[in-house]
Amino acid sequence: MTADELQRWASILRWIGLTVTTIGVLITFGSHYVADKMIVVQQADKIKAQERLQRTEAELEATKLKTAEIEASQKPRAVTHEQAAALRAAMLRLFSGGLNVPIIVSSKMLDPECEIYARQIAAAIPTTPPISTESQNFTTLGIFPFQGIRIFSDGEQASELVQRVRQAFQDAKIPFSPEHFAANSCPIHPDVGIFIFVGYK
């Protein structure tokens, strides 16, 4: 092999080496680029998966709350033992000097849920001294278009006493409204009295 041929082969090998080196550099940079892109894509997928999970959890929680609301709306109201004891104790404490006006407890007519709840409230109001049996009246014939319990009074003599009844209900954590309603919507409606009207749920 002549010197020219050897020189030519040396040049070829140098170009081949340079080409291989260039390819190696491109492969290295390319692999780093692909790896970086994979990390970005994986992070984006992870974020999307977390967002989907959060949405699913939020939807599940909303479904649970909605289910609980539906169950609560269908469950009849009731005075718990704790509420009854607290109401009884508060009434005896607040009326330690006696009660000289009638208390009328009435439920919405033809509403079994209202009647049961109203009877539980009436049963929790003590009929022992200083509150006499004659001071309490109960009827299921109320004509009430409103929701919940209303506690109000008619007659100046009862205006201060009704605040004590409301305080007793607050102590017992039994919700009510102080809004006045027509006393004659109940068949028992003395000119002076404290009225506890139980409307629909």
Side-chain angles (χ1 to χ4, degrees), residues 3-201:
D4 290 339
E5 290 176 338
L6 290 172
Q7 184 66 33
R8 188 166 54 253
W9 276 107
S11 298
I12 292 171
L13 291 174
R14 280 197 298 272
W15 278 107
I16 292 173
L18 181 60
T19 302
V20 170
T21 301
T22 302
I23 292 172
V25 170
L26 291 174
I27 291 173
T28 301
F29 278 108
S31 63
H32 284 302
Y33 175 79
V34 171
D36 291 341
K37 282 293 184 182
M38 285 179 62
I39 291 173
V40 172
V41 171
Q42 288 172 348
Q43 288 177 339
D45 289 342
K46 184 178 180 181
I47 292 171
K48 289 179 181 178
Q50 289 175 340
E51 290 175 347
R52 284 195 299 269
L53 178 61
Q54 289 173 350
R55 283 196 300 270
T56 302
E57 289 176 345
E59 290 171 357
L60 180 60
E61 187 64 26
T63 302
K64 288 181 179 178
L65 290 174
K66 189 65 177 177
T67 302
E69 289 176 2
I70 294 173
E71 290 176 350
S73 66
Q74 295 175 344
K75 185 178 179 181
R77 293 168 293 182
V79 177
T80 66
H81 293 299
E82 294 78 9
Q83 287 176 322
L87 180 59
R88 188 174 296 110
M91 289 290 289
L92 290 172
R93 184 184 75 253
L94 293 166
F95 291 100
S96 59
L99 175 64
N100 55 2
V101 299
I103 294 179
I104 295 87
V105 181
S106 180
S107 65
K108 181 176 180 289
M109 185 186 300
L110 302 176
D111 190 323
E113 192 272 345
C114 280
E115 179 179 348
I116 292 171
Y117 190 42
R119 287 189 182 279
Q120 292 174 350
I121 290 171
I125 297 175
T127 54
T128 56
I131 302 174
S132 66
T133 304
E134 291 76 18
S135 68
Q136 186 185 144
N137 300 273
F138 180 83
T139 176
T140 62
L141 301 177
I143 305 173
F144 308 145
F146 56 81
Q147 184 178 21
I149 299 173
R150 294 196 183 183
I151 302 176
F152 61 95
S153 65
D154 268 0
E156 185 177 349
Q157 189 180 357
S159 60
E160 185 274 331
L161 297 174
V162 73
Q163 297 299 332
R164 301 186 200 178
V165 176
R166 291 169 180 165
Q167 182 61 54
F169 272 71
Q170 286 178 349
D171 291 352
K173 295 181 172 58
I174 298 175
F176 68 91
S177 168
E179 188 175 349
H180 195 279
F181 192 70
N184 61 6
S185 60
C186 167
I188 304 173
H189 53 276
D191 293 335
V192 178
I194 297 170
F195 299 89
I196 302 172
F197 285 176
V198 180
Y200 67 89
K201 183 179 177 184

